[in-house]
Amino acid sequence: MKLTVIKSVLALALLASLVAGCDSSATTSTSSVAIDEIKGEETAVLTDAPNVPPPITRKHATKVIVNLDVVEKVMKIADSTEYTFWTFGGSVPGKFIRVREGDLVDFTLKNLPDSKLPHNIDLHAVNGPGGGAEATLVAPGQSARFQFKALNPGLYVYHCATGPVGMHIANGMYGLIMVEPKEGMSKVDKEFYVMQGDFYTKGKYEAPGLQEFDQDKAIQENPDYVLFNGRVRANTGANAMQAKTGENVRLFVGNGGPNLTSSFHVIGEVFDKVYVEGGDLINENVQTTVVPAGGSSIVEMKLQVPGMLNIVDHALYRTFHKGALAQIKVSGDENPEVFNKIKTQK
């Protein structure tokens, strides 16, 4: 009986995946793209937010092996609140993946045996059916493997595309994959991974206990939580990201959605560079950048003065009432030429 149910769910999920998967194959054909020679192979370094794998220093394309597990698990969404997350790799957001333009990515998705539902993955960096969703639909205890060429440099979202797609994403099934350009990226001192998502629970914001997903709120696009890196205060206070004055910091920013667009802003800093929507176009001297659901951005800033930098969604009720806050603690000497608080006489 259980096998029959799983087969039925898989059939429905495959149909939804074929409709929902983000297929970019129409924009790029192998007949018009130079395919790099593949030399050797390596296993990808995968990291949990806010950490990022090290920059790629090799000057050739290689075969990159990526092994990613689907894990359904109960975790804290707030200090006194738990939620059953569906994850890529056991965390929200999913593992950060870093490859090079021209690499052949050998990707295996495994759905752990104790999962209750089938899942798959749609990587926006893929030129192919459903971004890989069609090839990776797996029942609990099963795995699937496919290969793709990383043809287009940029920062891309990946997410589950199993139906109902919005529900899978709303439960935490999203992450980022960076395809570095062949010439590499400019050197910076620190890199961090920050990804926004909106969550919908039966109880109100920070209501105690284990909370269930609320489909009606999701349809109405009325989240109880809007979070950076999957939890209220995930990277604030003692868990804040650390940097020093004089350092150049790069943030890889994503928005899993499933519904809301982010007005991404760092209070007390100006973005020196913004790689618009995670692509080649660079904007400079930006205060707030828009990151759409299912989209990304790369921002860079040089830290001039010490203090606590607050990362917010500048739709500010989301920050003060729904949890959209992260922090970078900047240590170092004061810089009165840039910022100086003047004492006034009484």
Side-chain angles (χ1 to χ4, degrees), residues 85-320:
F85 291 93
W86 302 345
T87 77
F88 289 111
S91 61
V92 178
K95 303 288 187 181
F96 194 102
I97 306 168
R98 195 168 198 165
V99 300
R100 179 186 180 272
E101 179 186 1
D103 283 347
L104 176 65
V105 182
D106 190 306
F107 198 102
T108 298
L109 184 71
K110 181 180 180 181
N111 193 359
L112 294 189
D114 58 356
S115 295
K116 294 181 172 58
L117 293 170
H119 299 283
N120 64 6
I121 192 167
D122 167 6
L123 300 108
H124 290 186
V126 170
N127 292 274
E134 180 182 356
T136 58
L137 185 63
V138 284
Q142 302 298 312
S143 63
R145 178 185 172 199
F146 79 110
Q147 293 182 340
F148 71 93
K149 270 281 192 175
L151 298 177
N152 304 91
L155 181 64
Y156 298 94
V157 169
Y158 66 80
H159 61 86
C160 186
T162 305
V165 180
M167 180 180 181
H168 283 248
I169 296 173
N171 284 335
M173 299 198 77
Y174 50 78
L176 291 178
I177 176 171
M178 178 68 204
V179 181
E180 284 202 29
K182 293 178 181 179
E183 64 274 16
M185 302 186 72
S186 60
K187 185 177 179 180
V188 294
D189 299 296
K190 296 283 178 61
E191 294 181 326
F192 297 111
Y193 172 21
V194 179
M195 195 159 188
Q196 183 169 319
D198 30 285
F199 296 86
Y200 304 82
T201 57
K202 292 291 185 182
K204 295 181 179 180
Y205 177 71
E206 292 195 299
L210 180 62
Q211 296 296 319
E212 296 180 359
F213 171 73
D214 192 313
Q215 175 81 341
D216 290 336
K217 289 180 181 178
I219 292 171
Q220 295 164 12
E221 302 186 8
N222 182 24
D224 300 279
Y225 297 85
V226 182
L227 302 177
F228 294 123
N229 293 347
R231 177 178 169 172
V232 177
R233 295 177 287 276
N235 296 119
T236 64
N239 296 320
M241 294 164 272
Q242 303 288 320
K244 297 178 181 179
T245 54
E247 289 186 328
N248 287 299
V249 172
R250 176 182 292 138
L251 302 180
F252 295 100
V253 183
N255 183 5
N259 289 323
L260 302 185
T261 295
S262 176
S263 301
F264 189 82
H265 178 78
V266 176
I267 299 173
E269 270 294 340
V270 176
F271 301 139
D272 300 311
K273 291 183 180 179
V274 173
Y275 295 75
V276 180
E277 297 178 359
D280 293 336
L281 180 64
I282 296 178
N283 200 358
E284 296 182 341
N285 303 320
V286 176
Q287 59 186 319
T288 302
T289 192
V290 174
V291 187
S296 69
S297 184
I298 304 171
V299 304
E300 296 178 4
M301 51 194 175
K302 184 168 184 177
L303 306 181
Q304 307 285 352
V305 297
M308 188 71 82
L309 299 178
N310 291 304
I311 300 172
V312 302
D313 182 334
H314 215 290
L316 287 172
Y317 275 96
R318 300 174 186 174
T319 294
F320 291 104

Side-chain angles (χ1 to χ4, degrees), residues 8 75 79 207 223 320:
S8 299
M75 297 187 292
D79 290 345
F320 291 104

Side-chain angles (χ1 to χ4, degrees), residues 64-101:
V64 180
I65 299 169
V66 177
N67 296 302
L68 192 59
D69 292 342
V70 171
V71 184
E72 299 176 6
K73 62 187 297 190
V74 175
M75 297 187 292
K76 287 186 179 294
I77 194 170
D79 290 345
S80 300
T81 311
E82 293 184 324
Y83 187 77
T84 302
F85 291 93
W86 302 345
T87 77
F88 289 111
S91 61
V92 178
K95 303 288 187 181
F96 194 102
I97 306 168
R98 195 168 198 165
V99 300
R100 179 186 180 272
E101 179 186 1

